[in-house]
Coordinates of all heavy atoms in Angstrom, one line a residue:
S132 N -61.0 -65.3 -82.5 CA -62.0 -66.4 -82.9 C -63.2 -65.8 -83.4 O -63.7 -64.8 -83.0 CB -62.3 -67.3 -81.6 OG -61.2 -67.8 -81.0
A133 N -63.8 -66.5 -84.4 CA -65.1 -66.1 -85.0 C -66.2 -66.1 -83.9 O -66.2 -67.0 -83.1 CB -65.5 -67.0 -86.1
P134 N -67.0 -65.0 -83.9 CA -68.0 -64.9 -82.8 C -69.1 -66.0 -82.8 O -69.7 -66.2 -81.8 CB -68.6 -63.5 -83.0 CG -68.3 -63.2 -84.5 CD -67.0 -63.9 -84.8
Q135 N -69.2 -66.7 -83.9 CA -70.2 -67.8 -84.0 C -69.8 -69.0 -83.2 O -70.6 -69.9 -82.9 CB -70.5 -68.2 -85.5 CG -71.1 -67.1 -86.3 CD -70.0 -66.2 -87.0 OE1 -68.9 -66.1 -86.6 NE2 -70.4 -65.5 -88.0
L136 N -68.5 -69.1 -82.9 CA -68.0 -70.2 -82.2 C -68.1 -70.0 -80.7 O -68.0 -68.9 -80.2 CB -66.5 -70.5 -82.5 CG -66.2 -70.8 -84.0 CD1 -64.7 -71.0 -84.3 CD2 -66.9 -72.1 -84.4
K137 N -68.1 -71.1 -79.9 CA -68.2 -71.0 -78.5 C -67.0 -71.7 -77.9 O -66.7 -72.9 -78.1 CB -69.5 -71.7 -77.9 CG -70.8 -71.0 -78.3 CD -72.0 -71.7 -77.8 CE -73.3 -71.0 -78.2 NZ -74.5 -71.7 -77.6
I138 N -66.3 -70.9 -77.0 CA -65.1 -71.5 -76.3 C -65.7 -71.9 -74.9 O -66.2 -71.1 -74.1 CB -64.0 -70.5 -76.1 CG1 -63.5 -70.0 -77.5 CG2 -62.9 -71.1 -75.3 CD1 -62.4 -68.9 -77.4
L139 N -65.7 -73.3 -74.7 CA -66.5 -73.8 -73.6 C -65.9 -73.8 -72.2 O -66.5 -73.3 -71.3 CB -67.0 -75.2 -74.0 CG -67.7 -75.4 -75.3 CD1 -68.1 -76.8 -75.6 CD2 -69.0 -74.5 -75.3
D140 N -64.8 -74.4 -72.1 CA -64.2 -74.6 -70.7 C -63.5 -73.4 -70.2 O -63.2 -72.5 -70.9 CB -63.3 -75.8 -70.7 CG -62.1 -75.7 -71.6 OD1 -62.4 -75.5 -72.8 OD2 -61.0 -75.6 -71.2
D141 N -63.3 -73.3 -68.9 CA -62.7 -72.1 -68.3 C -61.3 -72.0 -68.6 O -60.7 -70.9 -68.5 CB -62.9 -72.2 -66.7 CG -62.2 -73.4 -66.1 OD1 -61.8 -74.3 -66.9 OD2 -62.1 -73.5 -64.9
R142 N -60.6 -73.0 -69.1 CA -59.2 -72.9 -69.6 C -59.1 -72.5 -71.1 O -58.1 -72.4 -71.6 CB -58.5 -74.2 -69.3 CG -58.3 -74.5 -67.8 CD -57.4 -75.7 -67.6 NE -58.0 -76.9 -68.1 CZ -57.3 -77.9 -68.6 NH1 -56.0 -77.8 -68.7 NH2 -57.9 -79.0 -69.0
R143 N -60.3 -72.4 -71.7 CA -60.4 -71.9 -73.1 C -59.6 -72.8 -74.1 O -58.8 -72.3 -74.9 CB -59.9 -70.4 -73.2 CG -60.5 -69.5 -72.1 CD -60.2 -68.1 -72.4 NE -60.9 -67.6 -73.6 CZ -62.2 -67.2 -73.6 NH1 -62.9 -67.2 -72.5 NH2 -62.8 -66.8 -74.7
L144 N -59.8 -74.1 -74.0 CA -59.1 -75.0 -74.9 C -60.1 -75.8 -75.8 O -59.7 -76.5 -76.7 CB -58.3 -76.1 -74.0 CG -57.2 -75.5 -73.1 CD1 -56.6 -76.6 -72.3 CD2 -56.2 -74.8 -74.0
T145 N -61.4 -75.7 -75.5 CA -62.4 -76.4 -76.3 C -63.3 -75.5 -77.1 O -63.8 -74.5 -76.5 CB -63.3 -77.3 -75.3 OG1 -62.5 -78.1 -74.5 CG2 -64.3 -78.1 -76.1
I146 N -63.5 -75.8 -78.3 CA -64.2 -75.0 -79.2 C -65.4 -75.8 -79.8 O -65.2 -77.0 -80.1 CB -63.3 -74.4 -80.4 CG1 -64.0 -73.1 -81.0 CG2 -63.0 -75.4 -81.4 CD1 -63.8 -71.9 -80.3
K147 N -66.5 -75.1 -80.0 CA -67.7 -75.8 -80.6 C -68.5 -74.7 -81.3 O -68.6 -73.6 -80.9 CB -68.5 -76.4 -79.5 CG -69.2 -77.7 -80.0 CD -69.7 -78.5 -78.8 CE -70.2 -79.8 -79.2 NZ -70.7 -80.6 -78.1

Side-chain angles (χ1 to χ4, degrees):
S132 299
Q135 296 89 341
L136 299 176
K137 294 181 180 179
I138 302 177
L139 300 181
D140 58 301
D141 58 351
R142 294 186 296 148
R143 311 190 70 82
L144 298 174
T145 305
I146 199 83
K147 213 167 190 179

